[in-house]
């Protein structure tokens, strides 16, 4: 009898405990939802800031890429322009080198001819005119003669074939030009072959 009388009380107690647990769970859920609602704006702002920074970095990377690409294109254009300029300047280099022996032979013919022979004088005059015409023609295209007689020796444009002691000139003076040199637009085609002085014996 006592157990039967206690059962309803236990039931009520159990129901109360269950209701209390449910209330606690609901309160915890409500508190969690409220906490989440309170934090979500800050989290959203933080997320937006992170996205903004990522977008800024992407823009900066793309800007750097565009600048580098533009610089590369500019360098390519500059190199191409320089190549074209060099091609225009030095396109005649091979042809000019082929002409130099012809001029040399004409000048040798004049140098070693008998200038006192009246019969040869008209011929020599014709050769002289031919040499002058050759030199004038190639000069129009940037070919210039290197004839350093009496000048200081310059290894960039002269090739020393012999050295001669001399007290009449300062050392390293070109005493004689064995073969003229030539340049094309300032660039050496062929060095002048020369005899150079050195200090004479005291």
């Amino acid at each position: 009898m006592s157990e039967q009388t206690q059962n309803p009380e236990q039931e009520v107690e159990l129901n109360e405990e269950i209701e209390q647990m449910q209330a606690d769970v609901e309160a915890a859920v409500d508190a969690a939802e409220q906490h989440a609602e309170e934090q979500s704006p800050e989290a959203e702002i933080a997320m937006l800031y992170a996205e903004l920074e990522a977008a800024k970095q992407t823009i900066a990377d793309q800007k750097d890429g565009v600048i580098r690409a533009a610089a590369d294109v500019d360098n390519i254009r500059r190199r191409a322009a320089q190549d074209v300029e060099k091609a225009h300047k030095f396109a005649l280099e091979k042809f000019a080198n082929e002409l130099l022996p012809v001029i040399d032979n004409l000048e040798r013919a004049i140098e070693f001819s008998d200038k006192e022979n009246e019969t040869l004088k008209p011929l020599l005059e014709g050769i002289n005119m031919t040499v002058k015409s050759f030199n004038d023609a190639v000069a129009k295209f940037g070919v210039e003669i290197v004839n350093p007689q009496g000048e200081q020796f310059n290894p960039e444009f002269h090739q020393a074939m012999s050295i001669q002691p001399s007290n009449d000139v300062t050392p390293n003076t070109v005493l004689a030009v064995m073969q003229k040199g030539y340049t094309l637009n300032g660039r050496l085609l062929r060095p002048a072959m020369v005899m150079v002085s050195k200090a004479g014996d005291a």
Side-chain angles (χ1 to χ4, degrees):
M1 294 288 295
S2 60
E3 290 180 4
Q4 289 179 354
T5 56
Q6 287 175 356
N7 282 337
E9 291 178 0
Q10 289 177 353
E11 243 175 74
V12 170
E13 215 170 3
L14 183 59
N15 288 336
E16 288 178 353
E17 288 179 1
I18 291 171
E19 289 176 358
Q20 184 61 42
M21 288 175 63
Q22 289 177 343
D24 291 342
V25 169
E26 289 175 0
V29 169
D30 290 338
E33 289 178 352
Q34 184 177 1
H35 182 71
E37 289 177 359
E38 290 174 355
Q39 294 298 320
S40 62
E42 295 177 1
E44 187 174 355
I45 290 172
M47 183 180 66
L48 290 174
Y49 270 121
E51 290 177 355
L52 179 60
E53 291 301 320
K56 285 181 179 179
Q57 186 60 47
T58 300
I59 292 170
D61 292 342
Q62 291 175 345
K63 184 178 179 181
D64 289 342
V66 170
I67 292 173
R68 282 194 297 270
D72 289 341
V73 169
D74 190 51
N75 289 334
I76 290 169
R77 285 177 179 169
R78 192 180 302 110
R79 283 195 297 270
Q82 290 173 351
D83 290 343
V84 169
E85 183 180 359
K86 287 179 182 178
H88 287 161
K89 278 187 176 181
F90 306 115
L92 294 175
E93 183 172 356
K94 187 175 180 181
F95 179 67
N97 274 318
E98 293 295 329
L99 285 179
L100 298 186
V102 177
I103 299 173
D104 291 338
N105 290 333
L106 291 172
E107 289 180 339
R108 286 194 194 99
I110 296 170
E111 183 180 357
F112 295 109
S113 64
D114 183 3
K115 298 178 179 60
E116 301 301 322
N117 190 330
E118 294 295 329
T119 306
L120 294 177
K121 280 186 178 181
L123 177 62
L124 292 176
E125 288 177 3
I127 296 174
N128 269 316
M129 291 179 62
T130 302
V131 171
K132 186 178 183 305
S133 296
F134 259 116
N135 289 331
D136 290 344
V138 295
K140 292 177 182 178
F141 297 95
V143 178
E144 300 201 5
I145 301 170
V146 179
N147 187 15
Q149 180 73 39
E151 299 177 4
Q152 283 291 300
F153 176 74
N154 183 349
E156 292 184 6
F157 296 100
H158 311 152
Q159 182 177 350
M161 306 304 293
S162 65
I163 299 175
Q164 181 73 30
S166 176
N167 293 319
D168 298 329
V169 295
T170 58
N172 289 326
T173 298
V174 175
L175 295 174
V177 178
M178 302 169 186
Q179 187 181 69
K180 295 175 183 177
Y182 290 87
T183 60
L184 175 62
N185 292 310
R187 187 165 76 177
L188 187 66
L189 276 177
R190 187 183 74 185
M193 296 182 181
V194 299
M195 178 189 295
V196 184
S197 69
K198 69 176 183 178
D201 296 331

